[in-house]
Amino acid sequence: MTGLLSDDGPAAPPKSLPLVFSAPRRGVPPRHWADLTPMQRREFMEAAGHRAFRARQLSAHYFEGLRDDPAQWTDLPSGVRDVLAEKFMPPLLTSVRELRCDDDTTIKTLWRLHDGALVESVLMRYPDRVTMCVSSQAGCGMACPFCATGQGGLQRNMSTAEIVEQVMDGARKLARGQIAGGPGVEEAENVARVSNVVFMGMGEPLANYKAVIGAVRQLTAPRPDGLGMSARGITVSTVGLVPRMQQLAAEGLPVTLALSLHAPDDELRDELVPINTRWNVDEVVDAAWEYARVTKRRVSIEYILIRDMNDQAHRADLLAKVLRRRGSWGWVHVNLIPLNPTPGSKWTASRRRDEDEFVRRLQAKGVPVTVRDTRGREIDGACGQLAALDE
Ligand code: SAH
């Protein structure tokens, strides 16, 4: 069966949106401190008539002190502060709405970019880590039929600084105690930091490769040049743009790669992840395996569970086979995600017993598997829902 039939009869015919790789060149955002390398910062500082060492001071305020208000830059002459702020830190993201759930430990923010485009980010605080889910494009050109963003098409690529600023906002909220769920008083000196960044908000990160790599470099550069995060805490999630996956493997950045597979066979994946018609299951799984081999980083396989579409026992067996064929040296981990139905979708999440059986079959074949916790559901902050309600 091709997966076109569901419990309640034929599903809506898959919309065949075109695949869009290159974003329209519009709305280029103003240049920001977080777009620049440390060397460029010194050069731009000097070109603007200031001493080069001011660059390090400004970086320390931005990345280390998380101070975005020039009034707090007290080691800079007062006449210089506003000039530098205006020149190097133009506001890129304007908060339109903020929604909280999970006892205020999850915050979804809807942002307006300088040209009016809307994107979202989600900050999630857990007892042992803080994860920021960021957008890399306004919209998305990959046209996956189950994904709200994919159905809205691509507006434009985001800049490096627009991506970084989402994380910085999370870091500032944490530092200012604006999100619940912190450690007890006795651990209060453990200043909370964003430990994980996942490129699982709007957009296909590998279709905006340069800006995304730029953002990863800003986030991982040691303080004060960058946020000083560990690359291991950063996950780049992709529909499977094979040449870009290969390029990422050669980058020498040990980020975690997640591949949105969603089906182990081409017939069904062609429908669920249309880019499969360009790079098929065999090719993307090879590229994921190669990524693990080169970087020694375990790859995540993302697999949404959609009732009677891709959740059958035979597909669990086939998924295990497809993954095990590349070896059993722990190169892979499967993340099952219950589908979050988008408005108007005929598809729905799997039955509990089918989910359990899917897990059991993968485990029986020695494939490590977890079922994704779906934070943010009631604020439409969960996967695939971002910004959909504001169109
Ligand atoms: N474009 C990238 C990253 C953004 S989507 C990618 O596809 O990987 C992040 C994850 O959310 C992907 O695995 C995507 O398939 C999943 N997702 C999208 N819509 C969803 C929905 N309605 N329910 C559950 N997961 C969804």
Side-chain angles (χ1 to χ4, degrees):
M1 119 164 183
T2 64
L4 276 171
L5 294 177
S6 76
D7 248 7
D8 359 312
K15 293 188 195 144
S16 45
L17 284 174
L19 288 164
V20 181
F21 289 95
S22 43
R25 274 199 61 80
R26 54 162 224 178
V28 178
R31 186 175 31 222
H32 186 279
W33 200 243
D35 286 312
L36 306 174
T37 64
M39 171 137 26
Q40 286 173 326
R41 288 176 189 150
R42 285 191 297 275
E43 288 166 4
F44 278 97
M45 194 59 94
E46 285 190 312
H50 304 285
R51 308 282 299 279
F53 73 87
R54 298 272 181 233
R56 197 180 163 84
Q57 288 178 308
L58 198 51
S59 290
H61 286 303
Y62 182 73
F63 285 113
E64 219 162 11
L66 306 173
R67 290 179 286 268
D68 56 349
D69 176 4
Q72 295 177 306
W73 303 345
T74 48
D75 55 349
L76 292 161
S78 56
V80 173
R81 292 176 205 159
D82 289 340
V83 179
L84 292 184
E86 199 175 311
K87 183 141 195 76
F88 295 117
M89 304 216 177
L92 298 177
L93 312 179
T94 308
S95 170
V96 177
R97 187 175 318 144
E98 202 179 279
L99 295 166
R100 292 169 179 257
C101 70
D102 304 317
D103 293 326
D104 276 4
T105 58
T106 301
I107 305 178
K108 177 179 89 158
T109 310
L110 172 69
W111 302 105
R112 181 179 295 115
L113 308 183
H114 79 106
D115 59 344
L118 296 174
V119 300
E120 297 195 359
S121 60
V122 186
L123 179 64
M124 291 160 277
R125 189 171 198 173
Y126 301 87
D128 59 337
R129 66 186 194 283
V130 177
T131 301
M132 188 82 215
C133 176
V134 297
S135 296
S136 56
Q137 298 182 308
C140 184
M142 296 296 111
C144 301
F146 54 83
C147 173
T149 311
Q151 287 306 293
L154 177 62
Q155 286 144 56
R156 71 164 168 90
N157 280 330
M158 295 177 75
S159 67
T160 287
E162 284 175 326
I163 297 168
V164 171
E165 263 290 283
Q166 297 169 68
V167 181
M168 297 308 294
D169 178 77
R172 292 189 290 255
K173 281 198 171 85
L174 270 166
R176 294 169 192 169
Q178 291 166 343
I179 180 165
V185 182
E186 65 282 5
E187 297 161 86
E189 68 271 24
N190 281 332
V191 177
R193 298 176 55 163
V194 176
S195 52
N196 298 77
V197 167
V198 297
F199 283 87
M200 294 188 180
M202 296 170 76
E204 166 50 43
L206 295 189
N208 184 15
Y209 190 86
K210 219 172 142 220
V212 166
I213 294 299
V216 170
R217 294 199 191 283
Q218 299 280 342
L219 298 175
T220 56
R223 295 176 177 216
D225 290 336
L227 197 55
M229 286 185 64
S230 156
R232 287 159 200 278
I234 299 178
T235 299
V236 174
S237 181
T238 180
V239 287
L241 307 187
V242 167
R244 295 304 200 185
M245 292 165 75
Q246 292 162 342
Q247 196 176 346
L248 186 63
E251 207 69 59
L253 281 171
V255 294
T256 301
L257 180 71
L259 169 64
S260 296
L261 194 62
H262 304 328
D265 54 297
D266 287 321
E267 197 180 10
L268 180 55
R269 194 165 191 268
D270 280 349
E271 183 181 343
L272 290 180
V273 187
I275 197 67
N276 196 67
T277 55
R278 186 89 48 116
W279 294 285
N280 66 23
V281 170
D282 240 16
E283 292 167 310
V284 290
V285 175
D286 272 345
W289 178 83
E290 184 66 14
Y291 187 87
R293 195 185 63 77
V294 171
T295 63
K296 311 276 186 297
R297 302 284 305 139
R298 183 188 272 199
V299 168
S300 286
I301 299 290
E302 309 292 296
Y303 196 104
I304 298 179
L305 286 173
I306 311 177
R307 185 182 297 187
D308 298 328
M309 276 291 283
N310 66 350
D311 64 352
Q312 307 84 349
H314 73 89
R315 283 210 160 86
D317 292 343
L318 183 57
L319 176 61
K321 196 167 153 201
V322 162
L323 300 179
R324 294 282 305 212
R325 197 182 297 148
R326 271 82 183 179
S328 56
W329 46 276
W331 72 275
V332 73
H333 175 102
V334 173
N335 227 330
L336 297 173
I337 316 169
L339 176 81
N340 244 314
T342 54
S345 166
K346 283 212 81 171
W347 294 329
T348 184
S350 299
R351 295 171 201 86
R352 187 58 204 260
R353 64 165 193 275
D354 293 334
E355 180 182 304
D356 291 345
E357 180 63 9
F358 207 93
V359 170
R360 201 191 61 73
R361 283 183 179 246
L362 288 176
Q363 282 172 339
K365 301 220 160 43
V367 177
V369 53
T370 43
V371 179
R372 162 92 54 85
D373 135 61
T374 52
R375 275 221 183 177
R377 270 207 167 178
E378 70 262 39
I379 53 171
D380 293 310
C383 310
Q385 296 288 291
L386 301 183
L389 299 180
D390 301 282
E391 305 278 320

